[in-house]
Amino acid sequence: MSFHFSVVLLALAAALGMAAWVWLVVLGFRKHVGWGLAVLLIPSACLVLILRDWTRGKRPFFLGLAAVSLAAGGVFVAVKWHFAARLIPPAAVAYVRSHGGPLADKALSMLPKIATAPVPARIDERLEALKAQEKELLQKKAALDPKNKSAALALTQEIALYNAALRAALVPKETPAPPPMNAPASGQIAGQPFSVEQATVKDGILTLRQGKGFFADREVSIFLFLKDTESPAGRKWKVPAAQSAPAPHVHLSWRDQAKDLPMTKVFIEDYELQLEFESGANGQVTGRISLVTRDDARVAGTFTAQVLAAR
């Protein structure tokens, strides 16, 4: 919801800003050809024209001011909800949703979608963030008016989310075993089953895709950083869970029925990968993959990928 709202605000800002600029261009040419060219080519000429002819220039000026206000609002909404999403690990939300009942569901409905929110990899980072959140909750509790029932309810919801996040951070999480590599490539992404229906290698990017639409239902893209003329055949990658050297980047995407655009996660670390290619016929290569990411996405098995020409 917040993402779409910020996009709408920015789109309106762009439309109003363009309308204000066109209006000033027309006023400039009506005044003189030189003024029209100046407004077209010199940004500061717009302000000079408005000051010299305030009677005609005040309307496009206020229109431009409205565009700037909408743009600032769009940026503010996007930044605000982005940082709010970072405070709550997805595991905590899942726990509250399954154990908290209707009250927790109502509280979660007021939060941004946090499936794409990055989770601190180290336990000390999570606990540090939770410690700061605990301090903030204690300050809110001390300042709470007992007669303000709505504020008390909101604080109760925040404390429930905090407690769930703390429990999730303190319970060690076992890394699931990767699926076998000798079966057709399959697994799960964002808790949804995934099977490879189409595989391509283009511009050094391996794409494993499920779904026939413009946006895949679920998709894994691995940036292998191959040279333009370099074939993946015969190449192998083995990336441990705690890699430190430069490694392939992993992009996961999936469709959410409530959203028009797919949701995406990017991993440059915190994943484990085994990937190898063998030569094939007709511009194809045979691949074997075993991928496990920090958020329990798992893909493993064999596939046949079409090697497409570089752009």
Side-chain angles (χ1 to χ4, degrees):
M1 180 66 179
S2 58
F3 170 77
H4 292 293
F5 184 55
S6 64
V7 170
V8 169
L9 288 179
L10 293 173
L12 287 174
L16 292 181
M18 179 61 68
W21 180 74
V22 171
W23 196 339
L24 287 172
V25 170
V26 173
L27 287 179
F29 275 108
R30 286 181 177 177
K31 189 175 184 68
H32 190 275
V33 175
W35 273 110
L37 293 174
V39 173
L40 275 173
L41 302 176
I42 306 173
S44 59
C46 295
L47 183 59
V48 176
L49 177 62
I50 292 171
L51 294 176
R52 289 178 62 90
D53 193 353
W54 176 249
T55 301
R56 295 185 178 89
K58 61 183 178 181
R59 291 182 179 178
F61 170 77
F62 286 120
L63 188 62
L65 194 61
V68 172
S69 301
L70 286 173
V75 172
F76 173 78
V77 170
V79 171
K80 173 185 174 183
W81 286 88
H82 170 74
F83 282 104
R86 291 180 63 92
L87 297 177
I88 308 171
V93 175
Y95 181 89
V96 173
R97 195 180 298 280
S98 59
H99 295 79
L103 184 62
D105 289 338
K106 185 176 180 181
L108 291 174
S109 68
M110 296 185 291
L111 294 173
K113 295 292 183 181
I114 60 176
T116 57
V119 180
R122 297 189 340 222
I123 185 65
D124 57 340
E125 293 179 354
R126 296 191 192 185
L127 293 176
E128 190 66 28
L130 288 169
K131 185 177 180 181
Q133 188 179 0
E134 179 187 16
K135 183 178 179 181
E136 181 182 350
L137 289 173
L138 290 174
Q139 291 174 347
K140 287 184 178 180
K141 184 177 180 180
L144 180 66
D145 182 1
K147 298 180 181 180
N148 192 337
K149 295 183 179 180
S150 60
L153 178 61
L155 182 59
T156 301
Q157 294 168 350
E158 289 188 56
I159 293 174
L161 291 173
Y162 164 79
N163 289 333
L166 182 60
R167 284 191 293 269
L170 294 177
V171 175
K173 188 176 182 181
E174 296 182 359
T175 303
M181 294 181 65
N182 55 358
S186 63
Q188 71 172 33
I189 297 175
Q192 305 173 20
F194 171 68
S195 60
V196 177
E197 297 177 355
Q198 182 184 9
T200 59
V201 178
K202 184 177 181 181
D203 297 327
I205 304 172
L206 169 65
T207 301
L208 305 177
R209 175 187 174 100
Q210 176 182 345
K212 305 296 183 183
F214 181 79
F215 293 113
D217 295 334
R218 285 166 283 285
E219 184 177 270
V220 178
S221 297
I222 302 178
F223 288 67
L224 303 173
F225 302 108
L226 299 173
K227 297 179 181 178
D228 292 341
T229 58
E230 187 177 3
S231 171
R235 294 292 305 274
K236 296 181 180 181
W237 288 262
K238 187 172 183 179
V239 183
Q243 78 271 22
S244 57
H249 294 182
V250 177
H251 292 210
L252 304 178
S253 66
W254 64 95
R255 294 290 301 275
D256 185 337
Q257 299 300 325
K259 288 180 172 288
D260 297 327
L261 298 176
M263 305 181 76
T264 302
K265 277 189 177 181
V266 179
F267 294 89
I268 60 176
E269 56 183 13
D270 296 328
Y271 70 87
E272 189 171 353
L273 172 68
Q274 288 181 259
L275 177 64
E276 55 188 64
F277 291 95
E278 296 177 357
S279 299
N282 302 320
Q284 295 179 333
V285 290
T286 300
R288 284 187 291 274
I289 185 174
S290 175
L291 170 68
V292 178
T293 68
R294 178 192 64 218
D295 65 343
D296 291 348
R298 304 188 299 274
V299 180
T302 62
F303 59 89
T304 300
Q306 187 73 36
V307 181
L308 304 178
R311 297 170 184 168

